[in-house]
Amino acid sequence: MMFTAASAGQEIPRIGLAGVLVVAVNGLGRVYTPRVLPSSLDRGFWLAGSGFVAALAAFWEAASLAVVALSAVLFTFLAVCCRSIIYYALRRARRRGRAAPALVISACAHGRELATNLLSYPEYGLLPLGFLDEADDEQLFLPVLGRVEDVAHVVQSHGVRAVVITGQGQQSVARTARALGCEVFLAPNLGEVIVDFVTLREHVRSFPLLRMRPEAQSRISWPLKRALDISVALTGLVLTAPILAICAMLIRHEVGSGALFRQRRVGYLGESIEVIKIRTLKPADAHESATLWSIAHDSRVGPVGKLLRKTSLDELPQFWNVLRGGMSIVGPRPERPHFVKKFSRTIPGYALRHRMPIGITGWAQIHGLRGDTSIEDRARFDNHYIDDWTLRTDLKIMLRTLGALLRLGGR
């Protein structure tokens, strides 16, 4: 398309626009989504649509509609031909032994049948090396390389690049394998209810496969989260500098010297960071500071301290933590090491909150889960946010947080 437009004497900006539109339209149609066995006809309508849109942009006001349509057909034909050549070469390479070493979780009947098909049809690109299972059956055609809890050791020692889960309740295995850089697939049986609730985009012969979503940190939109953090934190510090100065003077008068204080919190991947806040109470000692759960109803908190907490102005210095990279604007709220150890032992999924950088505000906070509220609910909301993270969600949380602040939602 670009060559055709250039040869027709089109302007460079218009040619560039055509290229951008091709990528954008195909992106919306998931043309670039990886597949186990790609086909040159996959997303064919989107290819044709992107060709027509690009031709329209390149030749608008410079040619008749017939020329635009002809150019779109030519572009689509060339795109399909190029994809066919690439996919043919890929399948040939896989048949010659260049498939990804794979591990099948569970040697159940479903797992054995799937492994058999993968061995018989190497063009799918997954070469099973063995199973992970609780029982070591010597009659199997592939070895049992270990138990399910050995997944990290087996992946690293055997150079596994893909994991196919055929059993139930293997979420921890899937996350461990993904963290080690493996492509992870769930292979539900056709009799399982999940096949009626999700779109089955990939398959091995008649066996449906569901590809595990990449971690948020590996998505192309992740750097934009950091860029958004920096811009919001820098703007926030500049705009609130006079407010911070006034708050510091007032709280100094109420509680004495040391208007700002640093407190140890558990951050991303369990790392310890120092969070900066405006002091609203001077604790009796370091032990009280580390283990006192809530001061919302503490009689030692004066009128200024209560006002700062009610308006969340005591959180403003954390913009500095965001600029330094220890925190994000949006993320699970950080907690002190004493309580992290306690809750991680008793609350399911609590430790999983640290898969994402901690934040000033978060999904749990905008749903009223702050202060002395249910820890189980907080962990559930935080993990939902992490599992379903998008940049749009961050923007939504920021706007709802701003609305809550304007309504003076206290703690």
Side-chain angles (χ1 to χ4, degrees), residues 65-332:
L65 185 61
V67 172
V68 172
L70 183 62
S71 299
V73 170
L74 177 61
F75 171 77
T76 305
F77 175 75
L78 291 175
V80 171
C81 288
C82 290
R83 281 167 58 120
S84 299
I85 294 171
I86 293 172
Y87 294 158
Y88 175 75
L90 179 63
R91 285 192 289 269
R92 280 185 60 87
R94 288 174 172 178
R95 292 191 189 103
R96 293 178 178 180
R98 296 183 182 178
L103 192 62
V104 179
I105 309 298
S106 179
C108 60
H110 181 54
R112 295 196 301 270
E113 291 179 34
L114 178 59
T116 300
N117 276 270
L118 289 174
L119 288 171
S120 301
Y121 299 94
E123 60 266 28
Y124 284 92
L126 300 173
L127 178 64
L129 303 179
F131 299 98
L132 285 190
D133 202 277
E134 299 304 311
D136 188 356
D137 188 348
E138 296 182 356
Q139 303 300 318
L140 292 173
F141 55 92
L142 286 174
V144 174
L145 300 176
R147 296 179 179 273
V148 172
E149 57 267 24
D150 301 326
V151 60
H153 171 71
V154 174
V155 165
Q156 293 171 330
S157 61
H158 289 78
V160 173
R161 289 164 45 202
V163 170
V164 183
I165 298 174
T166 59
Q168 297 290 327
Q170 305 294 350
Q171 188 179 56
S172 62
V173 173
R175 287 176 172 167
T176 299
R178 183 177 63 179
L180 292 171
C182 294
E183 284 279 3
V184 182
F185 300 92
L186 174 66
N189 199 310
L190 287 175
E192 295 181 28
V193 68
I194 190 175
V195 300
D196 293 325
F197 287 86
V198 297
T199 302
L200 303 175
R201 302 184 184 279
E202 299 186 82
H203 62 91
V204 172
R205 302 286 285 174
S206 60
F207 295 87
L209 287 184
L210 300 173
R211 189 184 296 262
M212 189 176 187
R213 291 177 299 180
E215 291 181 295
Q217 291 83 343
S218 63
R219 300 176 198 169
I220 59 175
S221 57
W222 182 255
L224 296 178
K225 179 178 175 66
R226 180 58 185 156
L228 183 63
D229 284 344
I230 293 173
S231 59
V232 172
L234 191 58
T235 303
L237 282 175
V238 172
L239 295 180
T240 63
I243 300 175
L244 276 169
I246 294 172
C247 291
M249 288 189 294
L250 291 175
I251 205 68
R252 180 185 177 88
H253 176 74
E254 184 170 275
V255 303
S257 60
L260 297 180
F261 78 102
R262 299 172 182 268
Q263 191 174 62
R264 229 9 112 169
R265 299 290 178 105
V266 177
Y268 181 46
L269 298 180
E271 294 183 358
S272 179
I273 72 165
E274 282 189 334
V275 172
I276 308 174
K277 298 182 68 175
I278 296 179
R279 188 185 302 280
T280 54
L281 169 74
K282 185 160 285 189
D285 51 39
H287 181 264
E288 183 185 40
S289 176
T291 60
L292 182 63
W293 171 241
S294 175
I295 63 171
H297 305 290
D298 197 308
S299 60
R300 293 174 294 175
V301 181
V304 175
K306 290 179 180 178
L307 178 63
L308 294 184
R309 290 180 59 79
K310 187 176 183 62
T311 57
S312 297
L313 290 175
D314 60 324
E315 307 278 359
L316 290 178
Q318 292 177 33
F319 282 136
W320 179 247
N321 289 112
V322 175
L323 278 180
R324 295 186 62 187
M327 292 182 67
S328 174
I329 296 295
V330 179

